[in-house]
Amino acid sequence: MAEELTPAESDLAADAAGPEEEEQPIKQRKNGLYPGVSDELAENMTTGWADTELRDLEPIAQASHTAARRAALSARFPGERLVIPAGNLKARSNDTEYAFRASTEYAYLTGDQSEDGVLVLEPTADGHRATICLLPRSNRENGEFWLSGQGELWVGRRHSLSEAEQLLGIPAKDVRELPEQLRQATGAVRCVRGHDAGIEAALTDKVTAERDEELRVYLSEARAVKDEFEIGELQKACDSTARGFEDVVKVLDKAEATSERYIEGTFFLRARVEGNDIGYGSICAAGPHATTLHWVRNDGPVRSGELLLLDAGVETHTLYTADITRTLPINGRFNELQRKIYDAVYESQEAGIAAVKPGAKYRDFHDASQRVLAEKLVEWGLVEGPVERVLELGLQRRWTLHGTGHMLGMDVHDCAAARTEAYVDGTLEPGMCLTVEPGLYFQADDLTVPEEYRGIGVRIEDDILVTEDGNRNLSAALPRQADEVEAWMASLKG
């Protein structure tokens, strides 16, 4: 990785910059190899560059959908200024940053994924005027494009404001001017908090926590019903994820020779080739690690004869993620006890999926799945019945642990800020997408179950779209029934 510039070079860029940039000087390494920039070099770097402006660009695929979302937001909060930031880069270590991921609210309303971007809806007599505030292309006159650590020659070209307007269908302005404009603003303001401290500081005397939370809740609930574009992106995510699972099965022998990390890396390759990234930390849990719900360390052994619980999802370039789990016999065949537990979870998931339909209560699929698992636990003598007593007291939760699903979309746990009455106490509608993911987990140190159960964890998870007449399994490309799983694995291993 190349060294960035010296303090002297940083000062040169700051001297040529505006007041906003002087308030936040460019962070540079202390021990650079060059003492400064000569006047001749500085002058040389300003000339001899081709015009690379992109013209006649087509709008992004979701532009009409993001416009409709902004219109709905405008109607919900008439007469108020609305501020939705994308967020800023976050330091990983010293002067390296994590890969940027725009806030869900911002990307949902704009389709843009630029760091430091801010969507502003200014109230008008008949609604709102939307403006997207972005960093313009790096300045070549003052040397920013090669002197700044975030300049174009360091991190790559970004779109000009004109290009952004063509792509997004929103008038664009320089975001560096926005904080002062917000400080001078009057009237009611709402802001999505937690993404941009600088924007929040500029609004500190104009916003209230209560109003801002209402905005966040609205945007969370607005995402519950997916439009046609979103459904297509979720299907892409599921299809890529299915291919990622196939990739893993093909290299299980290499994972046995190394560790769970081989599985993690294999799936990640598919996510980066076909999508933007993984939608969340992949759970590559072999053996007793499968009983840890969010095992993302992925540093354990992969042993023949044990199970692999793989919970992973590809995130598309537009930030929609799949969330799929399969529990696979590492050697390709379930033993008798593994199959018994797996079949119980499969039966539970079947009951849950059948309960997903328009007009059903959101809780119905969870209740249906949990009933099947409670029945199995009573049948196996692991908990004392009757089943109604087990469910009333929640006794099955020692081994089922978690809820049976959640909303899915741009966030893996989508719509999380929605009101309880609109989410878990709500009613399913066509266009909603949720996971159905029952599981049974027998901890390695659980003395209440027979020894042979201990260390076995099974979860099966699919992404289910509510349709007009029932549901559609977006992840149906991956087999679920035990015999089908074994045959699928055998075919992939060749």
Side-chain angles (χ1 to χ4, degrees):
M1 187 176 187
E3 273 200 319
E4 292 178 13
L5 304 171
T6 66
E9 291 164 330
S10 175
D11 292 343
L12 178 66
D15 289 343
E20 286 294 330
E21 292 169 279
E22 289 179 351
E23 292 174 9
Q24 297 179 347
I26 300 167
K27 180 182 178 182
Q28 305 292 350
R29 285 193 177 95
K30 179 179 180 181
N31 294 299
L33 293 176
Y34 289 104
V37 176
S38 68
D39 292 341
E40 290 79 5
L41 176 58
E43 175 61 26
N44 176 273
M45 292 295 287
T46 65
T47 61
W49 304 102
D51 178 11
T52 59
E53 181 74 7
L54 304 176
R55 298 173 176 86
D56 300 322
L57 295 173
E58 293 295 323
I60 59 175
Q62 67 267 46
S64 62
H65 296 284
T66 57
R69 297 166 195 165
R70 293 192 300 274
L73 174 62
S74 172
R76 173 62 179 81
F77 298 104
E80 301 183 69
R81 180 177 285 102
L82 308 175
V83 181
I84 300 95
N88 316 123
L89 291 172
K90 292 181 172 59
R92 180 182 185 275
S93 174
N94 188 27
D95 56 356
T96 61
E97 292 88 16
Y98 287 104
F100 180 72
R101 203 278 196 185
S103 74
T104 293
E105 296 88 352
Y106 173 86
Y108 176 74
L109 293 167
T110 67
D112 182 56
Q113 297 180 36
S114 304
E115 64 264 23
D116 301 325
V118 183
L119 174 67
V120 180
L121 271 62
E122 296 279 352
T124 64
D126 57 353
H128 285 83
R129 180 179 63 254
T131 303
I132 192 163
C133 299
L134 301 165
L135 286 172
R137 288 192 62 191
S138 300
N139 190 319
R140 289 178 183 255
E141 293 300 315
N142 67 11
E144 175 197 352
F145 82 109
W146 72 288
L147 294 174
S148 167
Q150 291 301 318
E152 195 167 289
L153 294 194
W154 289 98
V155 299
R157 185 188 190 278
R158 54 181 172 256
H159 286 298
S160 70
L161 298 184
S162 175
E163 291 167 355
E165 289 183 351
Q166 295 175 67
L167 290 167
L168 305 174
I170 313 171
K173 292 184 178 180
D174 190 335
V175 73
R176 293 172 296 187
E177 300 169 0
L178 181 61
E180 183 57 30
Q181 294 170 359
L182 293 177
R183 279 189 282 269
Q184 297 176 8
T186 59
V189 183
R190 296 178 190 260
C191 177
V192 176
R193 299 191 186 194
H195 301 299
D196 193 318
I199 294 300
E200 291 180 34
L203 292 170
T204 186
D205 60 342
K206 298 177 176 63
V207 295
T208 67
E210 181 180 9
R211 287 205 307 267
D212 289 353
E213 180 63 11
E214 287 175 351
L215 173 60
R216 188 171 79 103
V217 168
Y218 168 80
L219 289 172
S220 195
E221 293 181 6
R223 300 198 307 275
V225 175
K226 272 57 180 178
D227 59 38
E228 181 182 357
F229 175 84
E230 294 179 290
I231 293 169
E233 291 300 294
L234 286 167
Q235 186 64 69
K236 287 180 189 176
C238 287
D239 292 344
S240 289
T241 300
R243 289 187 284 272
F245 277 57
E246 291 176 354
D247 296 339
V248 167
V249 171
K250 292 175 182 177
V251 300
L252 281 177
D253 58 333
K254 294 183 174 63
E256 287 187 59
T258 53
S259 75
E260 295 163 339
R261 294 261 169 112
Y262 204 97
I263 295 166
E264 178 182 1
T266 298
F267 185 83
F268 180 68
L269 177 61
R270 178 68 65 173
R272 287 293 283 164
V273 167
E274 295 193 1
N276 176 61
D277 207 328
I278 50 174
Y280 53 95
S282 298
I283 300 167
C284 308
H289 289 162
T291 66
T292 301
L293 297 184
H294 287 171
W295 176 261
V296 293
R297 299 178 201 171
N298 299 334
D299 58 0
V302 178
R303 302 185 184 96
S304 179
E306 295 184 333
L307 298 177
L308 167 68
L309 190 157
L310 178 58
D311 183 336
V314 172
E315 178 186 76
T316 66
H317 294 292
T318 56
L319 307 185
Y320 289 83
T321 186
D323 181 9
I324 303 173
T325 305
R326 290 294 183 268
T327 304
L328 310 172
I330 292 166
N331 64 9
R333 303 285 294 182
F334 294 100
N335 67 32
E336 183 178 355
L337 179 59
Q338 290 168 349
R339 180 181 282 263
K340 181 177 85 166
I341 296 170
Y342 185 93
D343 286 347
V345 175
Y346 172 75
E347 185 179 331
S348 169
Q349 193 201 27
E350 284 282 273
I353 292 174
V356 175
K357 53 191 173 183
K361 294 297 183 184
Y362 177 85
R363 292 180 180 273
D364 287 352
F365 77 96
H366 168 72
D367 293 342
S369 288
Q370 290 291 298
R371 175 170 290 277
V372 171
L373 294 179
E375 289 170 350
K376 297 296 182 182
L377 292 167
V378 171
E379 177 187 327
W380 298 341
L382 302 183
V383 64
E384 183 182 348
V387 170
E388 293 299 337
R389 167 184 172 271
V390 172
L391 292 170
E392 181 182 355
L393 299 177
L395 300 180
Q396 83 284 359
R397 292 180 60 188
R398 181 183 179 103
W399 303 283
T400 67
L401 296 178
H402 55 80
T404 310
H406 52 79
M407 292 290 190
L408 183 69
M410 296 184 83
D411 288 335
V412 65
H413 297 141
D414 209 26
C415 312
R419 296 165 298 159
T420 300
E421 58 266 31
Y423 192 157
V424 295
D425 290 338
T427 300
L428 296 180
E429 301 176 40
M432 290 182 170
C433 187
L434 57 137
T435 67
V436 179
E437 51 175 310
L440 283 173
Y441 312 91
F442 299 103
Q443 306 301 318
D445 59 350
D446 187 350
L447 302 182
T448 70
V449 299
E451 185 176 359
E452 60 268 25
Y453 283 74
R454 298 172 198 166
I456 295 178
V458 173
R459 178 162 69 251
I460 312 172
E461 177 181 20
D462 285 271
D463 300 343
I464 309 299
L465 174 70
V466 183
T467 62
E468 294 288 345
D469 58 356
N471 68 66
R472 185 168 92 234
N473 185 348
L474 301 180
S475 47
L478 286 171
R480 295 183 294 124
Q481 196 273 336
D483 287 341
E484 293 173 352
V485 168
E486 290 179 341
W488 170 71
M489 294 181 70
S491 70
L492 291 172
K493 291 183 176 183

